[in-house]
Amino acid sequence: MKDFAYVSAQDVATAVRAIAEPGAKFLGGGTNLVDLMRQNIERPDTVIDITRLPLDRVEELPDGGVRIGALVRNSHLAAHRVIRTRYPMLAQAILTGASGQLRNMATVGGNVLQRTRCPYFADLAARCNKREPGAGCDAIGGFNRNAAIFGASDSCVATHPSDMCVALAALDATIELESVRGVRRLPLVGFHMLPGDSPQHETAIAADELITAIELPELPVAARSRYRKVRDRASYAFALVSVAAALEVRDGVITEARLALGGVAARPWRAHAAERALMGGPATEERFRLAADAELEGAVAQSQNAFKIELAGRAITATLRQLQVEGSAA
């Protein structure tokens, strides 16, 4: 591991000033930053410790929404009464990720900024455009069972690993960023970027910005929501496909729907086509299948992951069916 300077920030102002220092190399933190430093994949000049910042609270907002500080631990958020009752898909998503020990340490901001687990990104002997722009992508034509089926490019087929972010995308979450220039807010669905020709650019965060919070709007439909994760083993595994869904049905007709997919793209994939296909239709198995087909019409498989397209369709249908029959089961 390369030598680096260590800065302990006592408040947000100190942290953003340190990030904005001329010549500073910004990495953006992330749950697996230290792992990548040990592997010499990330080599920062300075590491800024922000654990003492007052960003560890979950607060109800006057407009009915919820503000989640960037340093709230994943386990605390999943256990919070407001999250469990008003946004159950978020609590469920967090509890499917990693292990209890990791959830006790991982933060909301770190989860959002974690890097891909594509094996070629972590292998210095492999070609990876995300790690070394212009080098090529060995996942294309290589071992790509876990690769993207949406939004991939000739430069990169990696997926985003977060479960939490899939639920946040379905919930219309907003991410708050702070710098010496002020505060700005972005929809979480636009925060993570598709690879295009520059997969090294993964998020919309600027070089001098710090994530300070995630905000959830008041969303009554979210009280009836679920998160389903399909993976190779029951725990401590990343999703092949995951589904975050919320559904409101009145007199047998779908009046509101939220749907997002994980494990299928370089960002949490908001399933807008499926949502449109659901709205105003009957809450039936046939309609659920039609909605899944509408979303997956644009899916493109790699050499080893065509199964993910059918798997995603089945997961969407099963999640919606379970919501219709059983509710959220927070």
Side-chain angles (χ1 to χ4, degrees):
M1 184 188 295
K2 173 190 169 184
D3 291 338
F4 56 87
Y6 172 83
V7 176
S8 178
Q10 305 298 317
D11 52 55
V12 174
T14 301
V16 296
R17 284 198 300 269
I19 293 170
E21 280 293 314
K25 180 183 177 184
F26 179 75
L27 292 176
T31 301
N32 57 333
L33 173 60
V34 173
D35 295 333
L36 296 175
M37 290 170 61
R38 288 171 176 159
Q39 296 170 292
N40 280 321
I41 294 168
E42 294 291 9
R43 306 186 66 189
D45 298 316
T46 303
V47 172
I48 303 169
D49 182 356
I50 61 171
T51 55
R52 294 177 178 83
L53 303 188
L55 303 174
D56 59 351
R57 294 187 293 274
V58 178
E59 303 169 287
E60 296 186 62
L61 300 174
D63 63 2
V66 176
R67 177 182 173 87
I68 304 164
L71 295 181
V72 171
R73 304 289 182 177
N74 285 185
S75 56
H76 175 66
L77 184 61
H80 198 281
R81 176 188 56 81
V82 171
I83 301 303
R84 288 176 60 84
T85 56
R86 290 166 51 185
Y87 309 96
M89 70 159 73
L90 179 54
Q92 294 167 15
I94 292 169
L95 292 174
T96 67
S99 65
Q101 295 93 328
L102 288 174
R103 292 193 296 268
N104 286 340
M105 296 301 295
T107 64
V108 170
N111 190 305
V112 170
L113 285 173
Q114 65 181 300
R115 309 294 298 280
T116 184
R117 297 318 198 277
C118 175
Y120 296 104
F121 174 67
D123 183 358
L124 291 174
R127 296 182 304 153
C128 175
N129 288 317
K130 189 180 288 292
R131 190 183 65 247
E132 185 182 348
C137 176
D138 279 345
I140 298 175
F143 180 74
N144 51 42
R145 181 172 178 270
N146 294 332
I149 57 174
F150 290 114
S153 71
D154 292 337
S155 297
C156 183
V157 295
T159 58
H160 193 266
S162 175
D163 292 295
M164 182 191 78
C165 288
V166 181
L168 291 176
L171 293 170
D172 294 327
T174 300
I175 190 163
E176 181 183 274
L177 305 166
E178 186 167 342
S179 71
V180 293
R181 294 174 288 109
V183 176
R184 68 179 180 128
R185 291 174 174 81
L186 296 173
L188 185 126
V189 290
F191 180 72
H192 298 97
M193 302 169 69
L194 295 177
D197 295 327
S198 53
Q200 71 275 19
H201 301 306
E202 298 180 2
T203 70
I205 194 169
D208 61 348
E209 288 181 317
L210 176 72
I211 295 178
T212 50
I214 300 288
E215 292 189 358
L216 300 175
E218 182 181 24
L219 198 64
V221 68
R224 189 181 179 89
S225 64
R226 279 187 178 267
Y227 186 79
R228 177 184 291 259
K229 182 176 182 177
V230 184
R231 46 190 164 174
D232 286 325
R233 57 181 185 268
S235 66
Y236 205 60
F238 295 102
L240 292 168
V241 171
S242 63
V243 180
L247 200 65
E248 182 177 289
V249 179
R250 295 180 182 175
D251 299 323
V253 176
I254 300 167
T255 57
E256 193 165 1
R258 294 287 190 281
L259 196 67
L261 306 178
V264 298
R267 66 185 180 200
W269 189 262
R270 183 69 181 265
H272 292 295
E275 291 177 353
R276 289 193 295 270
L278 289 168
M279 289 295 294
T284 62
E285 183 89 3
E286 181 182 7
R287 176 63 64 159
F288 299 156
R289 289 175 182 164
L290 287 172
D293 289 344
E295 190 62 45
L296 293 165
E297 184 177 356
V300 177
Q302 300 299 312
S303 59
Q304 297 178 351
N305 72 348
F307 74 94
K308 289 182 75 168
I309 298 177
E310 182 176 354
L311 184 63
R314 292 187 179 194
I316 291 169
T317 303
T319 307
L320 294 172
R321 180 198 313 123
Q322 192 173 26
L323 264 178
Q324 169 64 0
V325 174
E326 301 177 16
S328 61

